[in-house]
């Protein structure tokens, strides 16, 4: 079963619009970690944020912000005033401490296109 | 210099050939991972290793083998490549301990099996 669901396959916005990328996860662990990675057209995976299950504080980093809500098992990512350089595929990932290897379970990704 | 490197970056091979993908890291991390990415499927775990003597299968290990030659090196082999192994392969590393640390990824190897 898919443990991380990114329901939005593709999103297209015009530059300067705000956009939210949704991530819903499923776990029975009380200790787990959530991540967001960015994959620009060049293909590499860029780490954006790591959040543990005991820290529900929202986080803001420049134009990026993350909303973690355990009650709805969601870890959504918002880009404010989007720019063309934000065009990429964004992956949400879950790591459960009970999972051997502390490996990441990735969602299928959301492809974001920001047009001028 | 990049902390996690992968060689080759691109490779085209034929069905039945043996191929090795290599990963090296200078981060001093204990844990290393191999994932593959297929369009629309995200990344899936092939193998992982906690140290030179500790190697474990991931979700999709069939058709693959690995070797941890040193703390800094983790190789992925396809003993007899088949077309459905065409994918983008990523190596990742993270530090040890009993919690999940951030995984840092290499630039990826694009493999095409004809």
């Amino acid at each position: 079963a898919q443990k991380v669901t990114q329901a939005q396959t593709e999103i297209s916005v015009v530059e300067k619009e705000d956009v939210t990328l949704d991530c819903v996860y499923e776990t029975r662990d009380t200790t787990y970690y959530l991540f967001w990675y960015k994959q620009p057209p060049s293909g590499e995976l860029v780490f954006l944020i790591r959040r543990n299950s005991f820290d529900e504080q929202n986080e803001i980093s420049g134009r990026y912000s993350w909303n973690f809500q355990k009650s709805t098992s969601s870890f959504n990512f918002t880009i404010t005033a989007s720019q063309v350089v934000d065009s990429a595929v964004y992956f949400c990932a879950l790591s459960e401490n009970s999972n051997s290897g502390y490996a990441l379970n990735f969602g299928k990704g959301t492809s974001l296109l920001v047009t001028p | 210099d990049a902390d996690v490197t992968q060689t080759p970056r691109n490779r085209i091979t034929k069905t039945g050939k043996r191929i090795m993908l290599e990963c090296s890291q200078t981060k001093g991390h204990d844990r290393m991972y191999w994932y593959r990415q297929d369009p629309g499927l995200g990344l899936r775990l092939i193998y992982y290793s906690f140290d030179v003597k500790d190697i474990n299968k991931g979700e999709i290990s069939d058709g693959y083998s690995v070797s941890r030659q040193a703390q800094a090196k983790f190789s992925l082999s396809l003993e007899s490549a088949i077309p459905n192994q065409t994918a983008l392969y990523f190596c990742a590393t993270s530090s040890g301990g009993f919690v999940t640390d951030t995984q840092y990824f290499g630039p990826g190897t694009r493999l095409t099996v004809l």
Side-chain angles (χ1 to χ4, degrees):
Chain A
Q2 188 73 21
K3 294 196 172 191
V4 178
T5 301
Q6 296 180 255
Q8 304 149 309
T9 305
E10 296 180 353
I11 300 175
S12 182
V13 299
V14 177
E15 206 169 20
K16 298 184 183 177
E17 286 185 12
D18 298 347
V19 58
T20 295
L21 309 182
D22 297 333
C23 173
V24 174
Y25 61 92
E26 179 183 335
T27 180
R28 294 182 179 181
D29 284 16
T30 55
T31 302
Y32 54 90
Y33 293 78
L34 295 161
F35 298 80
W36 277 93
Y37 285 85
K38 173 183 179 180
Q39 186 176 42
S42 51
E44 73 271 25
L45 282 163
V46 179
F47 164 72
L48 296 178
I49 190 170
R50 166 179 175 260
R51 171 71 73 214
N52 75 54
S53 53
F54 299 106
D55 183 3
E56 285 194 75
Q57 268 194 326
N58 291 332
E59 180 151 340
I60 299 174
S61 177
R63 296 184 297 107
Y64 294 173
S65 62
W66 290 269
N67 183 353
F68 177 28
Q69 292 196 342
K70 290 176 74 171
S71 61
T72 56
S73 297
S74 65
F75 186 44
N76 296 337
F77 173 31
T78 297
I79 301 174
T80 302
S82 60
Q83 300 176 0
V84 171
V85 293
D86 295 328
S87 296
V89 180
Y90 291 87
F91 291 98
C92 180
L94 165 72
S95 180
E96 301 160 292
N97 262 22
S98 65
N99 177 13
S100 298
Y102 306 99
L104 298 175
N105 287 291
F106 283 85
K108 295 183 179 181
T110 296
S111 178
L112 174 65
L113 177 64
V114 182
T115 55
Chain B
D1 288 339
D3 295 319
V4 185
T5 57
Q6 293 183 232
T7 56
R9 294 294 311 280
N10 289 281
R11 180 71 183 268
I12 299 174
T13 192
K14 295 182 178 180
T15 297
K17 294 292 188 181
R18 182 180 189 276
I19 184 167
M20 179 181 288
L21 309 183
E22 299 187 340
C23 176
S24 294
Q25 52 114 348
T26 59
K27 299 182 77 69
H29 285 167
D30 291 323
R31 299 175 185 167
M32 298 187 74
Y33 303 80
W34 277 104
Y35 294 88
R36 67 175 274 178
Q37 182 182 12
D38 298 279
L41 291 181
L43 281 76
R44 293 178 292 166
L45 180 67
I46 306 173
Y47 269 95
Y48 64 95
S49 169
F50 279 7
D51 63 38
V52 174
K53 297 180 181 179
D54 182 3
I55 293 178
N56 303 277
K57 294 182 177 180
E59 176 188 355
I60 53 166
S61 59
D62 287 349
Y64 301 95
S65 62
V66 291
S67 172
R68 184 85 183 262
Q69 302 95 321
Q71 187 209 30
K73 295 183 183 295
F74 193 35
S75 300
L76 176 72
S77 294
L78 287 69
E79 297 300 327
S80 179
I82 55 177
N84 76 2
Q85 291 177 313
T86 293
L88 183 56
Y89 290 84
F90 285 101
C91 172
T93 75
S94 70
S95 63
F98 294 101
V99 296
T100 299
D101 201 357
T102 299
Q103 290 188 21
Y104 295 94
F105 287 79
T109 294
R110 189 167 297 279
L111 176 66
T112 302
V113 183
L114 301 176

